[in-house]
Amino acid sequence: MTSQQLSPFELEIAKLIVEALKLKADPSSIEPEAVLFGDGLGLDSIDALELSLAIAQTYGYQLKSSDPEIKATFSSLRALARAIELHRTK
Amino acid sequence: MLDAPLIGSYRPDDVLAWESDGPRSAREFLSAVITLADGLPDRPSVLNLLTSRYEFLVGFAAAMLRRQVTLLPQSRAPETLRRIAVDQESCYCLTDRGEPVHDIPAVVLPARRGSVRPWNIPRIPLHQHVAIAFTSGSTGQPTPNLKTWDALVSVARATAKRLGVNAAGVKGVVATVPHQHMFGLEASVMLPVQQGLTMHAGRPLFPEDIRAALTESPERSLLVTTPLHLRACLLAGVRLPPIGMILSATSTLTSALAREAEQRFHAPVHEIFGFAEAGSVASRRTVTDGDWRMLDGVALARNGSHASIQAPYLPCPVPIPDRIAVTGRATFRVLGRAEDQVNIAGHRASLGDLTRQLLEVEGVHDGVFILPDGKEGSLSRLMALVVAPGKTQEDIQHALRRRLNPVFLPRPLLLLPRLPRNETGKLPREALRQLMERWKDESSHDV
């Protein structure tokens, strides 16, 4: 899937990111495949912690650094949405 | 006493650290230190960038045996590392990532396991300069703060005594704070190793990571952390194994959060007050104490409206970067931050210095960093107003990323045709406030 269009669930996660991190961005403008951390949206480890909290509270998915997939999970909006869909408990 | 042992009273087979692949005994540690020390380049100072807290400690100890000073950068931003490297000519770096650092020769760890089987704990002279903690100076150049072995050992012992680490039967330490940060070095490396405890080598971030690290550590360990991590653990609803005590620092913990943490984790929550220039200087148990109590051996000195810290291991009094009120012989209350000083997630900087770095970015004609009024308990981010015709926000953020610790990157960064400077060229606070109000209305965002 290489579409630049956000799926409804991706848009939901984009809204969660913008809200949790108080970003000044339009959720629908986040590119689904663009990197979230580093030079993309410019997020850092404090954001990762905030974001993990919002994900745990909303979807019941507790992120783990020891998870071999963690780097991939945080690589883009699309990857994050896919991981949440897979692991959500609520 | 003219020297102090490298580590506390461990027996050879006691577990000194818990690495990602299992335990490291005190004997294995000494062996690794001596082996590495033999192979280190003959240079006066070393930039220790090692990720594992244990590997960092091995590198730090080996450098001390070679009488080398360990450099603790305030961030890994390439420009910060470059400036330190230029300033500390002939340093080398210890790294585990193979990342190139501005032409500095690198030694890559983990080193070979040591083959020697020593059991003599080396002693380090108290007056030896062992570390330099860099702070962001007012000149744009990182300011070096020289630390003696005496300073590190004294703070570790005074903190352990104040917390009652031994009396509480604490056997291990887990920390979420970076070991290259002054508080992290003192509380998560020096404290456990001087007290003969098991130091967890990881740096857990997510609540689930913290749970896992505590599970690997001796029961009822000390958790060295920050208000942000504590809040995340409480709100994410993880079940942590029994904790002996919690030590928080880097930003102020509210008494509500401290109370909730004490109730949920059945452990006392203490806070440390300190700053890189002096190290940890005072503590309090947040739920019962409004005031900070000086650590043993540390004294307050007043000089007009300014307060300074004195201690036998500090060569001269060190000014406190916050405004304080002295409330007793060894107690004080923090009134607020000194003008121009900001503390974002435990990293201090002067707005003036950040602004200067912004103005050095190519294409920036004018600009200023400001700290919006934040809500209690939530993390405030800095904001920057920038005049840079022809440049985009991304251009400027990209340039700043090379220069600044990421916690200081402005969020948001607003591009404006001009700043509301008055006739004397100053930026009146009221004009900035109005500008921000207008921006808030337009973007309907909460700053």
Side-chain angles (χ1 to χ4, degrees):
Chain A
M1 194 160 72
T2 54
S3 157
Q4 290 303 300
Q5 280 281 316
L6 295 188
S7 73
F9 189 63
E10 284 168 354
L11 184 62
E12 186 178 319
I13 301 302
K15 282 182 184 154
L16 182 90
I17 294 174
V18 167
E19 228 164 81
L21 307 183
K22 302 181 195 129
L23 298 179
K24 184 182 170 270
D26 173 5
S28 62
S29 73
I30 297 181
E31 287 174 36
E33 307 273 358
V35 283
L36 290 172
F37 288 78
D39 247 359
L41 272 184
L43 307 185
D44 56 27
S45 70
I46 295 166
D47 293 315
L49 183 59
E50 284 295 320
L51 195 51
S52 79
L53 184 54
I55 293 168
Q57 288 178 308
T58 315
Y59 302 105
Y61 169 32
Q62 302 276 5
L63 290 154
K64 289 189 206 76
S65 299
S66 57
D67 180 348
E69 301 286 312
I70 190 75
K71 272 218 168 94
T73 300
F74 269 122
S75 65
S76 68
L77 170 62
R78 182 151 289 162
L80 184 62
R82 206 179 294 140
I84 294 171
E85 231 165 4
L86 196 65
H87 297 284
R88 64 188 292 179
T89 59
K90 56 182 182 188
Chain B
M1 190 181 66
L2 295 170
D3 57 24
L6 178 65
I7 54 175
S9 49
Y10 292 93
R11 284 162 302 178
D13 294 322
D14 284 348
V15 179
L16 179 138
W18 193 274
E19 257 291 10
S20 53
D21 63 351
R24 296 286 184 277
S25 70
R27 190 197 297 277
E28 279 175 281
F29 166 72
L30 285 183
S31 173
V33 169
I34 289 165
T35 307
L36 178 63
D38 280 345
L40 290 179
D42 210 3
R43 287 173 174 247
S45 54
V46 49
L47 199 53
N48 189 330
L49 300 174
L50 295 164
T51 314
S52 147
R53 213 175 293 273
Y54 174 73
E55 294 289 352
F56 169 86
L57 173 65
V58 170
F60 178 52
M64 281 196 289
L65 292 189
R66 291 288 300 274
R67 307 229 159 193
Q68 298 174 355
V69 177
T70 293
L71 309 175
L72 306 167
Q74 73 270 48
S75 86
R76 281 169 181 259
E79 183 62 16
T80 303
L81 296 183
R82 191 192 66 80
R83 288 188 179 208
I84 289 173
V86 168
D87 192 44
Q88 307 282 326
E89 305 170 53
S90 67
C91 70
Y92 66 97
C93 79
L94 283 172
T95 172
D96 46 23
R97 297 184 183 178
E99 56 195 336
V101 183
H102 186 71
D103 301 340
I104 311 176
V107 174
V108 179
L109 260 69
R112 288 173 293 115
R113 286 259 175 128
S115 52
V116 277
R117 305 275 294 166
W119 190 250
N120 278 327
I121 298 179
R123 302 184 70 88
I124 311 291
L126 290 178
H127 63 78
Q128 186 176 322
H129 291 147
V130 297
I132 295 179
F134 288 93
T135 45
S136 61
S138 52
T139 56
Q141 185 71 20
T143 308
N145 301 280
L146 205 50
K147 303 291 168 185
T148 58
W149 180 237
D150 191 11
L152 297 188
V153 170
S154 299
V155 167
R157 288 178 181 168
T159 307
K161 186 172 164 222
R162 170 62 52 81
L163 300 183
V165 164
N166 293 335
V170 166
K171 300 275 185 286
V173 173
V174 169
T176 64
V177 296
H179 37 270
Q180 278 99 348
H181 191 277
M182 202 54 209
F183 169 62
L185 175 63
E186 289 176 336
S188 77
V189 178
M190 287 299 294
L191 188 153
V193 172
Q194 284 294 311
Q195 295 296 313
L197 312 178
T198 300
M199 174 188 82
H200 195 282
R203 186 181 157 199
L205 173 66
F206 302 125
E208 193 57 31
D209 302 342
I210 296 172
R211 190 193 62 72
L214 284 167
T215 308
E216 289 171 341
S217 289
E219 190 156 300
R220 306 186 56 76
S221 282
L222 162 67
L223 175 63
V224 177
T225 189
T226 77
L228 290 174
H229 294 88
L230 267 187
R231 179 175 148 267
C233 283
L234 287 170
L235 293 178
V238 286
R239 294 180 78 108
L240 299 182
I243 298 173
M245 53 180 69
I246 295 169
L247 182 61
S248 171
T250 73
S251 59
T252 311
L253 189 58
T254 61
S255 55
L257 188 61
R259 188 168 306 115
E260 204 184 332
E262 288 212 352
Q263 284 166 358
R264 179 88 67 85
F265 304 130
H266 307 289
V269 177
H270 297 270
E271 263 183 292
I272 281 285
F273 178 90
F275 46 102
E277 292 86 343
S280 302
V281 297
S283 77
R284 67 174 176 185
R285 183 163 170 193
T286 319
V287 293
T288 51
D289 312 331
D291 289 358
W292 295 92
R293 194 147 57 94
M294 309 301 295
L295 294 178
D296 290 356
V298 184
L300 270 175
R302 282 216 79 104
N303 179 9
S305 60
H306 295 284
S308 299
I309 295 296
Q310 287 179 325
Y313 49 80
L314 293 172
C316 52
V318 183
I320 298 180
D322 290 312
R323 291 181 297 117
I324 65 159
V326 178
T327 52
R329 205 176 56 78
T331 58
F332 65 91
R333 180 161 296 186
V334 176
L335 302 176
R337 63 192 172 86
E339 192 67 29
D340 189 51
Q341 290 287 312
V342 289
N343 182 335
I344 310 287
H347 299 270
R348 287 177 190 268
S350 107
L351 288 172
D353 178 47
L354 293 171
T355 296
R356 195 182 345 263
Q357 304 224 34
L358 169 63
L359 295 176
E360 282 176 15
V361 172
E362 201 199 320
V364 171
H365 293 195
D366 196 2
V368 66
F369 265 92
I370 45 184
L371 179 68
D373 298 328
K375 283 191 227 79
E376 183 123 334
S378 73
L379 177 74
S380 293
R381 293 281 190 167
L382 297 175
M383 184 170 178
L385 308 176
V386 184
V387 180
K391 295 279 179 184
T392 64
Q393 286 187 14
E394 289 71 33
D395 295 339
I396 296 165
Q397 291 281 20
H398 183 78
L400 287 176
R401 192 178 305 284
R402 288 196 50 79
R403 295 165 175 270
L404 304 182
N405 184 324
V407 298
F408 298 127
L409 291 174
R411 189 179 292 171
L413 183 155
L414 298 186
L415 285 173
L416 302 168
R418 79 187 73 80
L419 295 188
R421 291 193 183 275
N422 65 16
E423 317 78 81
T424 62
K426 291 213 161 89
L427 281 169
R429 197 175 288 225
E430 184 53 26
L432 288 177
R433 201 188 57 75
Q434 284 177 11
L435 194 72
M436 277 161 64
E437 287 298 319
R438 228 175 23 245
W439 172 77
K440 258 200 262 185
D441 292 343
E442 278 167 22
S443 62
S444 69
H445 265 278
D446 205 12
V447 182

